[in-house]
Amino acid sequence: KAGVTQTPRYLIKTRGQQVTLSCSPISGHRSVSWYQQTPGQGLQFLFEYFSETQRNKGNFPGRFSGRQFSNSRSEMNVSTLELGDSALYLCASSSYGREAEAFFGQGTRLTVV
Amino acid sequence: AQTVTQSQPEMSVQEAETVTLSCTYDTSENNYYLFWYKQPPSRQMILVIRQEAYKQQNATENRFSVNFQKAAKSFSLKISDSQLGDTAMYFCAFMRTNTGNQFYFGTGTSLTVIP
């Protein structure tokens, strides 16, 4: 089966702009969670969506938002970009219940200049 | 709150030898999963092995196996017959499931396989 697809793979944006990242999960997986990875802070949880509902949210400012569509694809949006938002953004696709599995996409590398 | 601790920032091993990466975690939840992920320079997070907390039997996946000690909250990864392609950053991860799937990660162990 197809893996987790994140688009775009690379982005360069200017401070103050906004950006939208996309994550298409594995077929049948209804949970999508997002993580920010930076050298200084490691991997930090942004939010998790299940059946179009945000179940959990990490400790990030309101500039970071997301949504999930009926086909489980998820988008995250960052508005008013800051230099510190430069990071690798990873999404995880996972299932629920016994034998739950979780896979990550290849990530989107965002550079803010 | 959940925490994951990897106390070995860097490790090295000779090709074909065996190496063990350590991981401890802290949680008050009963239902959860533990994972080891490998992140090579490409930065993709690749699943190495998964352990369900409700299973006592240690998971194995070819050359990779875990030593899961639930009472001690320990989850170490053993790599046998190390290969050059095993060189990567390895992350131990805890996934809680009670109120949504959410990962907590350790800080990673950088493993170098020496030819």
Side-chain angles (χ1 to χ4, degrees):
Chain A
K1 54 186 174 183
V4 184
T5 303
Q6 287 190 248
T7 57
R9 293 288 311 280
Y10 303 92
L11 268 177
I12 300 176
K13 290 287 188 179
T14 305
R15 273 182 301 175
Q17 287 186 313
Q18 75 167 18
V19 67
T20 299
L21 313 182
S22 177
C23 174
S24 293
I26 290 171
S27 178
H29 285 187
R30 295 162 65 189
S31 171
V32 174
S33 52
W34 290 87
Y35 301 84
Q36 181 195 66
Q37 185 178 25
T38 59
Q41 299 297 318
L43 285 144
Q44 293 186 286
F45 170 72
L46 282 154
F47 27 65
E48 186 243 0
Y49 287 87
F50 177 78
S51 293
E52 303 179 66
T53 301
Q54 186 181 91
R55 296 286 298 266
N56 293 288
K57 188 176 189 330
N59 190 26
F60 278 81
R63 301 185 296 107
F64 291 81
S65 63
R67 59 178 176 169
Q68 186 180 35
F69 302 94
S70 58
N71 62 357
S72 293
R73 188 178 71 87
S74 177
E75 289 181 346
M76 68 163 280
N77 184 77
V78 188
S79 62
T80 319
L81 284 166
E82 301 176 359
L83 295 179
D85 297 333
S86 294
L88 178 69
Y89 291 88
L90 291 161
C91 80
S93 162
S94 58
S95 58
Y96 267 88
R98 297 261 167 164
E99 308 295 328
E101 54 181 18
F103 296 95
F104 283 81
Q106 291 181 296
T108 295
R109 193 170 302 188
L110 172 65
T111 302
V112 183
V113 297
Chain B
Q2 280 65 229
T3 59
V4 179
T5 302
Q6 292 180 252
S7 58
Q8 305 152 315
E10 296 181 357
M11 294 190 73
S12 62
V13 62
Q14 291 291 139
E15 194 175 5
E17 296 296 308
T18 296
V19 64
T20 299
L21 279 57
S22 300
C23 173
T24 58
Y25 62 96
D26 191 21
T27 183
S28 57
E29 301 197 10
N30 288 319
N31 300 316
Y32 54 89
Y33 290 78
L34 295 163
F35 299 81
W36 280 96
Y37 286 94
K38 165 186 174 181
Q39 190 176 47
S42 67
R43 306 295 298 281
Q44 176 161 14
M45 201 72 82
I46 301 167
L47 175 64
V48 174
I49 200 164
R50 178 195 73 178
Q51 175 79 43
E52 296 92 334
Y54 62 86
K55 288 188 176 178
Q56 292 185 334
Q57 186 174 4
N58 289 326
T60 62
E61 195 70 47
N62 300 317
R63 298 182 296 108
F64 300 90
S65 61
V66 297
N67 182 4
F68 174 47
Q69 302 291 326
K70 190 172 183 179
K73 294 180 180 162
S74 171
F75 183 62
S76 60
L77 173 70
K78 185 172 81 171
I79 305 174
S80 303
D81 186 26
S82 296
Q83 301 175 359
L84 296 179
D86 295 334
T87 293
M89 182 72 83
Y90 286 79
F91 289 96
C92 177
F94 169 101
M95 184 176 81
R96 76 172 202 192
T97 59
N98 278 352
T99 55
N101 289 359
Q102 179 177 338
F103 277 97
Y104 298 82
F105 291 92
T107 51
T109 296
S110 178
L111 177 67
T112 301
V113 179
I114 303 166

Coordinates of all heavy atoms in Angstrom, one line a residue, chain B residues 1-40:
Chain B
A1 N 2.3 13.4 32.6 CA 3.0 13.7 31.4 C 3.9 12.6 31.0 O 4.4 11.8 31.9 CB 3.8 15.0 31.5
Q2 N 4.1 12.4 29.7 CA 5.0 11.3 29.3 C 6.4 11.9 28.9 O 6.5 13.0 28.4 CB 4.4 10.7 28.0 CG 3.3 9.7 28.2 CD 2.0 10.3 28.8 OE1 1.5 9.8 29.8 NE2 1.5 11.4 28.2
T3 N 7.4 11.1 29.3 CA 8.8 11.5 28.9 C 9.5 10.3 28.4 O 9.2 9.2 28.8 CB 9.6 12.1 30.1 OG1 9.6 11.1 31.1 CG2 8.9 13.4 30.6
V4 N 10.4 10.6 27.5 CA 11.2 9.5 26.9 C 12.7 9.9 27.0 O 13.0 11.1 26.6 CB 10.9 9.2 25.4 CG1 11.8 8.2 24.8 CG2 9.4 8.9 25.3
T5 N 13.5 9.1 27.5 CA 14.9 9.4 27.7 C 15.9 8.5 27.0 O 15.8 7.2 27.2 CB 15.3 9.4 29.2 OG1 14.4 10.3 29.9 CG2 16.7 9.8 29.5
Q6 N 16.7 9.0 26.2 CA 17.8 8.3 25.5 C 19.1 8.8 26.1 O 19.4 10.0 25.8 CB 17.7 8.4 24.0 CG 16.5 7.7 23.4 CD 16.4 7.9 21.9 OE1 15.6 8.6 21.4 NE2 17.3 7.2 21.2
S7 N 19.8 8.1 26.8 CA 21.0 8.6 27.5 C 22.3 8.5 26.8 O 23.3 8.9 27.2 CB 21.1 7.8 28.9 OG 21.3 6.4 28.6
Q8 N 22.2 7.9 25.6 CA 23.4 7.8 24.7 C 23.3 8.7 23.5 O 22.7 8.3 22.5 CB 23.6 6.3 24.3 CG 23.6 5.3 25.5 CD 23.0 3.9 25.0 OE1 22.0 3.9 24.3 NE2 23.7 2.9 25.4
P9 N 23.9 9.8 23.5 CA 23.8 10.7 22.4 C 24.5 10.2 21.1 O 24.0 10.4 20.0 CB 24.5 12.0 22.8 CG 24.6 11.9 24.3 CD 24.6 10.5 24.7
E10 N 25.6 9.5 21.3 CA 26.3 8.9 20.2 C 26.9 7.5 20.6 O 27.3 7.3 21.7 CB 27.5 9.8 19.9 CG 27.2 11.2 19.4 CD 28.4 12.0 19.0 OE1 29.5 11.5 19.2 OE2 28.2 13.2 18.6
M11 N 26.8 6.7 19.6 CA 27.4 5.3 19.7 C 28.0 4.9 18.4 O 27.7 5.4 17.3 CB 26.3 4.3 20.1 CG 25.7 4.5 21.5 SD 24.7 3.2 22.0 CE 25.9 1.9 22.4
S12 N 29.0 4.0 18.5 CA 29.6 3.4 17.3 C 29.7 1.9 17.5 O 29.8 1.4 18.6 CB 30.9 4.1 17.0 OG 31.8 3.9 18.1
V13 N 29.8 1.2 16.4 CA 29.9 -0.2 16.4 C 30.6 -0.7 15.2 O 30.5 -0.1 14.1 CB 28.5 -0.9 16.5 CG1 27.6 -0.5 15.3 CG2 28.6 -2.4 16.7
Q14 N 31.4 -1.7 15.3 CA 32.1 -2.3 14.1 C 31.0 -3.1 13.3 O 30.1 -3.7 13.8 CB 33.2 -3.2 14.6 CG 34.4 -2.6 15.2 CD 35.2 -1.8 14.3 OE1 35.6 -0.7 14.6 NE2 35.4 -2.3 13.1
E15 N 31.3 -3.0 12.0 CA 30.4 -3.7 11.1 C 30.4 -5.2 11.5 O 31.4 -5.8 11.9 CB 31.0 -3.6 9.7 CG 30.1 -4.0 8.6 CD 30.7 -3.7 7.2 OE1 31.8 -3.3 7.1 OE2 30.0 -4.0 6.2
A16 N 29.2 -5.8 11.4 CA 28.9 -7.2 11.8 C 28.8 -7.5 13.3 O 28.5 -8.6 13.7 CB 30.0 -8.1 11.2
E17 N 29.1 -6.5 14.1 CA 29.0 -6.6 15.5 C 27.6 -6.3 16.0 O 26.7 -5.8 15.2 CB 30.0 -5.7 16.3 CG 31.4 -6.1 16.0 CD 31.8 -7.5 16.5 OE1 31.5 -7.8 17.7 OE2 32.3 -8.3 15.7
T18 N 27.3 -6.4 17.3 CA 26.0 -6.2 17.9 C 26.1 -4.9 18.8 O 27.1 -4.7 19.4 CB 25.5 -7.4 18.7 OG1 25.4 -8.5 17.9 CG2 24.2 -7.1 19.4
V19 N 25.0 -4.1 18.7 CA 25.0 -2.9 19.5 C 23.6 -2.8 20.2 O 22.6 -3.2 19.6 CB 25.3 -1.7 18.7 CG1 24.3 -1.4 17.6 CG2 25.5 -0.4 19.5
T20 N 23.5 -2.2 21.4 CA 22.3 -2.0 22.1 C 22.1 -0.5 22.4 O 23.0 0.1 23.0 CB 22.2 -2.8 23.3 OG1 22.3 -4.2 23.0 CG2 20.9 -2.6 24.1
L21 N 21.0 0.0 22.0 CA 20.6 1.4 22.2 C 19.6 1.4 23.4 O 18.6 0.6 23.4 CB 20.0 2.1 21.0 CG 21.0 2.6 19.9 CD1 21.9 1.5 19.4 CD2 20.2 3.2 18.8
S22 N 19.8 2.3 24.3 CA 19.0 2.3 25.5 C 17.8 3.4 25.4 O 18.0 4.4 24.8 CB 19.8 2.6 26.8 OG 20.8 1.7 26.9
C23 N 16.7 3.1 26.1 CA 15.6 4.0 26.1 C 14.8 3.7 27.4 O 14.5 2.6 27.7 CB 14.7 3.8 24.9 SG 13.2 4.8 25.0
T24 N 14.5 4.8 28.1 CA 13.6 4.6 29.2 C 12.5 5.6 29.1 O 12.6 6.6 28.4 CB 14.2 4.8 30.6 OG1 14.8 6.2 30.6 CG2 15.3 3.8 30.9
Y25 N 11.3 5.3 29.7 CA 10.2 6.2 29.5 C 9.4 6.3 30.8 O 9.6 5.5 31.7 CB 9.3 5.8 28.3 CG 8.7 4.4 28.6 CD1 7.4 4.3 29.1 CD2 9.4 3.3 28.3 CE1 6.9 3.0 29.3 CE2 8.9 2.0 28.5 CZ 7.6 1.9 29.0 OH 7.1 0.6 29.2
D26 N 8.6 7.3 30.9 CA 7.8 7.5 32.1 C 6.3 7.8 31.7 O 6.1 8.7 30.8 CB 8.3 8.6 33.0 CG 7.7 8.6 34.3 OD1 7.1 7.5 34.7 OD2 7.7 9.6 35.0
T27 N 5.4 7.0 32.2 CA 4.0 7.3 31.9 C 3.1 6.6 33.0 O 3.6 5.7 33.7 CB 3.6 6.7 30.5 OG1 2.3 7.0 30.2 CG2 3.8 5.1 30.5
S28 N 1.9 7.2 33.1 CA 1.0 6.6 34.0 C -0.1 5.8 33.2 O -1.0 5.3 33.9 CB 0.4 7.6 34.9 OG -0.3 8.6 34.1
E29 N 0.0 5.8 31.9 CA -1.0 5.2 31.1 C -0.8 3.7 31.0 O 0.4 3.2 31.2 CB -1.1 5.8 29.7 CG -1.4 7.3 29.8 CD -1.8 7.9 28.5 OE1 -2.0 7.1 27.6 OE2 -1.9 9.1 28.4
N30 N -1.8 2.9 30.7 CA -1.7 1.5 30.6 C -1.6 1.0 29.1 O -1.0 0.0 28.8 CB -2.9 0.8 31.3 CG -2.8 0.9 32.8 OD1 -1.7 0.7 33.3 ND2 -3.9 1.1 33.4
N31 N -2.3 1.8 28.3 CA -2.4 1.4 26.9 C -1.5 2.4 26.1 O -1.8 3.6 26.0 CB -3.8 1.5 26.3 CG -4.7 0.5 27.1 OD1 -4.3 -0.6 27.3 ND2 -5.9 1.0 27.4
Y32 N -0.5 1.8 25.5 CA 0.4 2.6 24.7 C 1.3 1.7 23.8 O 1.3 0.5 23.9 CB 1.3 3.5 25.6 CG 2.1 2.8 26.6 CD1 3.4 2.3 26.3 CD2 1.6 2.6 27.9 CE1 4.1 1.6 27.3 CE2 2.4 1.9 28.9 CZ 3.6 1.4 28.6 OH 4.3 0.7 29.5
Y33 N 2.0 2.4 22.9 CA 2.9 1.7 22.0 C 4.3 2.3 22.1 O 4.4 3.5 22.4 CB 2.4 1.8 20.6 CG 1.2 1.0 20.3 CD1 -0.1 1.5 20.6 CD2 1.2 -0.2 19.6 CE1 -1.2 0.7 20.4 CE2 0.1 -1.0 19.4 CZ -1.1 -0.5 19.7 OH -2.3 -1.2 19.5
L34 N 5.3 1.5 21.9 CA 6.7 2.0 21.8 C 7.2 1.7 20.5 O 7.0 0.6 19.9 CB 7.5 1.3 22.9 CG 7.1 1.7 24.4 CD1 7.6 0.7 25.4 CD2 7.5 3.1 24.7
F35 N 8.0 2.6 20.0 CA 8.6 2.4 18.7 C 10.1 2.8 18.7 O 10.5 3.6 19.5 CB 7.9 3.4 17.6 CG 6.5 3.2 17.4 CD1 5.5 3.7 18.3 CD2 6.0 2.5 16.3 CE1 4.2 3.5 18.1 CE2 4.7 2.3 16.1 CZ 3.8 2.8 17.0
W36 N 10.8 2.3 17.8 CA 12.1 2.8 17.4 C 12.0 3.2 15.9 O 11.6 2.4 15.1 CB 13.2 1.7 17.5 CG 13.7 1.6 19.0 CD1 13.3 0.6 19.9 CD2 14.7 2.4 19.6 NE1 14.0 0.8 21.1 CE2 14.8 1.9 20.9 CE3 15.5 3.4 19.2 CZ2 15.7 2.4 21.8 CZ3 16.4 4.0 20.1 CH2 16.5 3.5 21.4
Y37 N 12.5 4.4 15.7 CA 12.5 4.9 14.3 C 14.0 5.3 14.0 O 14.8 5.7 14.9 CB 11.7 6.2 14.2 CG 10.2 5.9 14.1 CD1 9.4 6.0 15.3 CD2 9.5 5.6 12.9 CE1 8.1 5.8 15.3 CE2 8.2 5.4 12.9 CZ 7.5 5.5 14.1 OH 6.1 5.2 14.1
K38 N 14.3 5.1 12.7 CA 15.6 5.4 12.2 C 15.5 6.7 11.3 O 14.6 6.7 10.5 CB 16.1 4.2 11.4 CG 17.3 4.4 10.5 CD 17.6 3.2 9.7 CE 18.7 3.3 8.7 NZ 18.9 2.1 7.9
Q39 N 16.4 7.6 11.5 CA 16.4 8.8 10.6 C 17.7 9.0 10.0 O 18.7 9.5 10.6 CB 16.0 10.1 11.4 CG 15.7 11.3 10.6 CD 15.2 12.5 11.3 OE1 15.8 12.8 12.4 NE2 14.1 13.1 10.8
P40 N 17.9 8.6 8.8 CA 19.2 8.8 8.1 C 19.3 10.2 7.6 O 18.4 11.0 7.9 CB 19.0 7.8 6.9 CG 17.5 7.7 6.7 CD 16.9 7.8 8.0

